[in-house]
Amino acid sequence: KVFIQTEDGIGIEGVNVTVTGGDKEVKSILTDSNGEALIKHVKWGDINISVCNEITMGKIKYVFLGWSDGQSNYIWSGYLDEDTELTALYKVQYFITVDTPYGTAYGSGWYDKGSSISIGIEETSVPINWFISKKFDAWTGDIYSKDPQTSFVVDSPKIITAEWIDDYTNLYYLIAAIIIVVGAIIGIIIYFKKFRRKPPEEEERIEALEEWAEEEPVEEKVKEEIEEEKVELIEESREESKEGGEEEK
C-alpha cells in the first residue's frame, strides 16, 4: 500500500503509482481521494515503487521530498517479503501570477506554500504621449495594496493585477508654461506701448499741438476785436453829440 501525501498529511488524488515486482511484472494504479494506492498480488523480492518527481495540477504543484522510511529518490527500491505501507511526501507550491498592462511587474512564479514573497512594479509612472501618463494606483485581484512593492504569505494560487489611472501632470505643466509665456508677451507689449520713448520729431509735434489746443480759436478773437471797435465807435458818437449840443446853447 502506497500513500501520496503532502507535508501536512493531506492525500493527493489521481497520482500514478507504478510497482515492479520481484518477477518484473509492472503494475500501475492511481491514488484515490485519500491519496492511497493499493497494489495487490505483487511478487515478493526486489521491488521498485515509482512515483512522480513533480505533479502539476493547474496552478498547484507537488514536489517530491522523500519516502517515509528515509529514501530520497522518487523511485523506491528494496526487498519486500510481506505486506508493506509506504508514504511518499510532497511539498506544495502555488503559482502566483503578477500582471500589469503598463510598465514591468515582477514576482510571478512558483512558491512554496506558507512562504513570504514580495511583488512589485518597476515603474510607477509610464508616459503614454506628451500630455498624458499612466500612474500606478493599486494591486487588485487576490491581493489589494496601494504600495508599488508589497509582501504577503502564499496560501493559495493568486492572480494579481496592477491598476493604473490617468495622470495629467505633464498637461498641467504645459498649460502653466503657455500661460506664463503669453502673460510675458502681453506684459512686454503693454510696456512698450505705454512707456517707450517717442521719437524727437513726434514729441515736438505733440507739444505744438498741445500749445495750439490751449490757445483760443482765431474766430473768437476776431469777433472780440470787432465788438471792441463797435463799443469805441458808439462811445465816440455819443461824445460828439454832447459837444454839438453844448455849442448851440
Side-chain angles (χ1 to χ4, degrees):
K1 184 184 292 186
V2 176
F3 293 95
I4 307 295
Q5 296 179 346
T6 63
E7 292 176 283
D8 49 6
I10 299 174
I12 306 172
E13 183 180 1
V15 179
N16 185 62
V17 179
T18 302
V19 177
T20 304
D23 57 357
K24 306 304 180 183
E25 182 182 1
V26 178
K27 294 184 176 182
S28 296
I29 191 171
L30 296 177
T31 57
D32 60 17
S33 59
N34 296 317
E36 179 182 332
L38 180 60
I39 301 95
K40 298 180 180 179
H41 310 297
V42 177
K43 181 69 175 178
W44 306 128
D46 292 324
I47 306 296
N48 289 332
I49 303 174
S50 176
V51 295
C52 297
N53 191 37
E54 288 188 358
I55 306 164
T56 302
M57 298 179 178
K59 299 287 186 178
I60 303 175
K61 181 191 289 186
Y62 302 96
V63 180
F64 179 79
L65 294 174
W67 293 93
S68 55
D69 67 347
Q71 289 195 36
S72 58
N73 195 301
Y74 67 94
I75 300 176
W76 183 94
S77 299
Y79 185 86
L80 294 178
D81 57 4
E82 60 181 355
D83 291 342
T84 302
E85 290 186 2
L86 289 170
T87 300
L89 296 174
Y90 287 78
K91 69 177 180 180
V92 181
Q93 292 184 337
Y94 297 122
F95 193 82
I96 305 300
T97 302
V98 183
D99 191 24
T100 178
Y102 305 100
T104 304
Y106 61 86
S108 291
W110 291 100
Y111 295 95
D112 292 345
K113 178 182 177 181
S115 61
S116 180
I117 69 167
S118 295
I119 64 170
I121 193 82
E122 292 183 359
E123 309 91 352
T124 57
S125 181
V126 178
I128 303 302
N129 52 46
W130 288 100
F131 311 109
I132 302 175
S133 296
K134 289 291 185 178
K135 182 180 179 182
F136 173 80
D137 184 50
W139 294 108
T140 59
D142 294 318
I143 291 293
Y144 181 82
S145 176
K146 299 289 285 185
D147 297 327
Q149 288 77 37
T150 188
S151 300
F152 58 91
V153 174
V154 177
D155 56 5
S156 64
K158 297 185 187 300
I159 298 177
I160 307 166
T161 304
E163 294 291 333
W164 300 74
I165 58 175
D166 291 334
D167 182 9
Y168 296 96
T169 301
N170 292 339
L171 180 60
Y172 297 151
Y173 285 152
L174 178 61
I175 293 173
I178 292 173
I179 291 173
I180 292 172
V181 171
V182 171
I185 293 173
I186 294 174
I188 292 171
I189 292 172
I190 292 173
Y191 173 81
F192 277 101
K193 279 188 175 182
K194 187 173 182 180
F195 299 106
R196 70 182 181 88
R197 182 174 178 82
K198 300 178 180 62
E201 298 83 2
E202 187 175 343
E203 290 184 353
E204 291 176 0
R205 188 172 62 181
I206 290 173
E207 290 178 359
L209 289 172
E210 289 176 349
E211 291 176 359
W212 177 81
E214 291 176 356
E215 293 178 354
E216 295 178 356
V218 175
E219 292 182 359
E220 293 295 329
K221 281 191 173 184
V222 171
K223 288 180 181 180
E224 289 181 0
E225 290 177 357
I226 293 171
E227 290 296 328
E228 289 177 358
E229 289 179 358
K230 284 181 179 181
V231 171
E232 290 178 357
L233 290 172
I234 292 170
E235 289 179 353
E236 288 178 0
S237 63
R238 286 179 179 176
E239 289 178 358
E240 289 177 356
S241 298
K242 287 180 180 180
E243 288 176 357
E246 290 177 355
E247 289 178 357
E248 289 179 357
K249 291 177 180 183

